[in-house]
């Protein structure tokens, strides 16, 4: 069965520090990868997504992620975090080339940014 | 557009009670899904639908029923609530078919506590 692993469960950073959140998936075929963010008290929002082409994907709010097929990874990065980045971050995957309406999520990483 | 709406926002039930969580979307999306979010486990798919009259089970369907009589609405029914169903429930929707690049849109969630 497909699965998604996020190894960092809780990350605490100071403002201006760099961020990298790990995401690994287990599926050998075509995958489509997403990072969602959930700010406190809000619903999930899409940060960025990867389907094909350039493995370095840029999203909103200065986030980017790199797809490394050989490592089955899709790590999220931000060069300099802000207090407003405090949120929970979810990596998710679908497989195949067609929309199935189903996402498989990782466990989530809680990011706390200290001012 | 209101997007994806969910009611109620909060609910407390006693073991054995039944209730329906409501989900509606006004984006004419064909696909709709229900997820539950539990600490350390991310979001897990309960049921999903690819159109009116068509539903299927996700990863954790036991104890839940769904039906889809209209494109707009996708209610989730708890037949006999159990403490293990204490969770935050998210409804999501997306355009049907097409490529896997389609984004899912999430509702604000319903926080359910079963005593």
């Amino acid at each position: 069965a497909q699965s998604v692993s996020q190894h960092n469960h809780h990350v605490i950073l100071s403002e201006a520090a760099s961020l990298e959140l790990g995401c690994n998936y287990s599926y050998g075929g075509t995958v489509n990868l997403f990072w969602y963010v959930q700010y406190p008290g809000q619903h999930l929002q899409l940060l960025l997504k990867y389907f094909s082409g350039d493995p370095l994907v840029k999203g909103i709010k200065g986030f980017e992620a790199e797809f490394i097929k050989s490592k089955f990874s899709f790590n999220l990065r931000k060069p300099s975090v802000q207090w407003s980045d405090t949120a929970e971050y979810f990596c998710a995957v679908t497989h195949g080339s067609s929309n199935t309406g189903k996402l498989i999520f990782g466990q989530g990483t809680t990011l706390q940014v200290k001012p | 557009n209101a997007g994806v709406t969910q009611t109620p926002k909060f609910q407390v039930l006693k073991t054995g009670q039944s209730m329906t969580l409501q989900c509606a979307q006004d984006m004419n999306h064909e696909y709709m899904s229900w997820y539950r979010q539990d600490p350390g486990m991310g979001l897990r798919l309960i049921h999903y639908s690819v159109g009116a009259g068509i539903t299927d089970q996700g990863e954790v369907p036991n104890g839940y029923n769904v039906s889809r009589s209209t494109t707009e609405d996708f209610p989730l029914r708890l037949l006999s609530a159990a403490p293990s169903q204490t969770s935050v429930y998210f409804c999501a929707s997306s355009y049907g078919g097409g490529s896997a690049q389609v984004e899912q849109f999430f509702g604000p969630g319903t926080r359910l506590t079963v005593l």
Side-chain angles (χ1 to χ4, degrees):
Chain A
Q2 299 172 66
S3 65
V4 178
S5 294
Q6 292 180 242
H7 308 296
N8 317 104
H9 298 296
H10 196 163
V11 174
I12 302 174
L13 295 173
S14 298
E15 275 193 315
S18 64
L19 169 72
E20 181 160 2
L21 301 182
C23 172
N24 287 90
Y25 62 92
S26 65
Y27 184 74
T30 301
V31 289
N32 313 288
L33 298 152
F34 305 79
W35 275 98
Y36 280 86
V37 61
Q38 185 180 26
Y39 297 104
Q42 297 188 26
H43 56 89
L44 276 79
Q45 304 171 41
L46 183 66
L47 267 182
L48 48 79
K49 58 187 178 183
Y50 171 81
F51 297 91
S52 62
D54 189 344
L56 186 60
V57 179
K58 294 193 184 300
I60 62 172
K61 305 188 180 187
F63 286 91
E64 63 180 31
E66 185 175 12
F67 170 57
I68 303 180
K69 190 174 182 179
S70 61
K71 295 185 178 180
F72 296 86
S73 71
F74 189 56
N75 292 355
L76 181 70
R77 299 195 291 249
K78 186 171 185 178
S80 175
V81 296
Q82 300 172 316
W83 177 79
S84 57
D85 293 324
T86 294
E88 190 157 17
Y89 293 80
F90 294 95
C91 182
V93 64
T94 65
H95 70 275
S97 57
S98 299
N99 177 26
T100 63
K102 298 184 285 184
L103 282 164
I104 298 170
F105 284 88
Q107 304 92 322
T109 297
T110 301
L111 172 65
Q112 183 182 354
V113 179
K114 294 183 174 179
Chain B
N1 281 354
V4 181
T5 58
Q6 292 182 238
T7 57
K9 283 188 168 50
F10 302 94
Q11 183 71 48
V12 178
L13 292 177
K14 294 181 179 177
T15 297
Q17 287 185 313
S18 62
M19 80 158 295
T20 299
L21 307 186
Q22 301 291 345
C23 173
Q25 52 88 13
D26 61 358
M27 297 174 281
N28 204 30
H29 285 169
E30 288 184 331
Y31 288 13
M32 297 185 74
S33 312
W34 276 103
Y35 296 85
R36 58 177 289 174
Q37 182 185 19
D38 301 295
M41 303 189 75
L43 281 79
R44 292 178 293 169
L45 183 65
I46 304 171
H47 285 285
Y48 66 102
S49 169
V50 297
I54 306 170
T55 64
D56 205 348
Q57 296 180 350
E59 183 185 354
V60 288
N62 293 341
Y64 307 95
N65 270 2
V66 292
S67 60
R68 183 104 179 265
S69 56
T70 67
T71 300
E72 294 79 19
D73 300 297
F74 191 41
L76 178 72
R77 282 183 285 277
L78 282 71
L79 305 174
S80 178
S84 61
Q85 293 178 304
T86 293
S87 188
V88 181
Y89 291 84
F90 288 98
C91 181
S93 73
S94 67
Y95 287 109
S99 81
Q101 298 187 35
V102 172
E103 177 184 346
Q104 287 204 30
F105 294 85
F106 286 82
T110 294
R111 187 174 293 273
L112 175 68
T113 301
V114 182
L115 302 175

